[in-house]
Amino acid sequence: MASIAGLSKLGLPRLSSSMDPEDARVIRNYLYQMQEQLQYVLTNIDTENLAEGLRSRLEGE
């Protein structure tokens, strides 16, 4: 099963101080949303959420 242990340790990239503050805000918001979505997927994925073919391959059937 996937682990999210290291996900919270990911930091935002440093944005240039010459970047427009509104652009920086939009980029930060987008990155936070992506991190939340990734954390949700990794937390909620299990064999019930997999296609039958992939589930069979992973289970070795």
Side-chain angles (χ1 to χ4, degrees), residues 3-59:
S3 172
I4 62 167
L7 192 58
S8 63
K9 296 176 185 173
L10 293 176
L12 290 174
R14 292 188 181 266
L15 302 175
S16 171
S17 60
S18 63
M19 178 181 272
D20 179 61
E22 179 62 17
D23 290 343
R25 186 188 67 76
V26 169
I27 291 171
R28 281 192 188 93
N29 285 343
Y30 177 76
L31 291 173
Y32 280 127
Q33 289 174 18
M34 295 301 294
Q35 182 180 10
E36 288 174 0
Q37 290 176 15
L38 180 58
Q39 191 166 4
Y40 176 83
V41 168
L42 293 177
T43 302
N44 292 293
I45 194 166
D46 58 18
T47 56
E48 293 177 6
N49 298 327
L50 301 176
E52 183 62 38
L54 178 57
R55 188 178 326 146
S56 296
R57 282 182 34 204
L58 291 174
E59 293 173 349

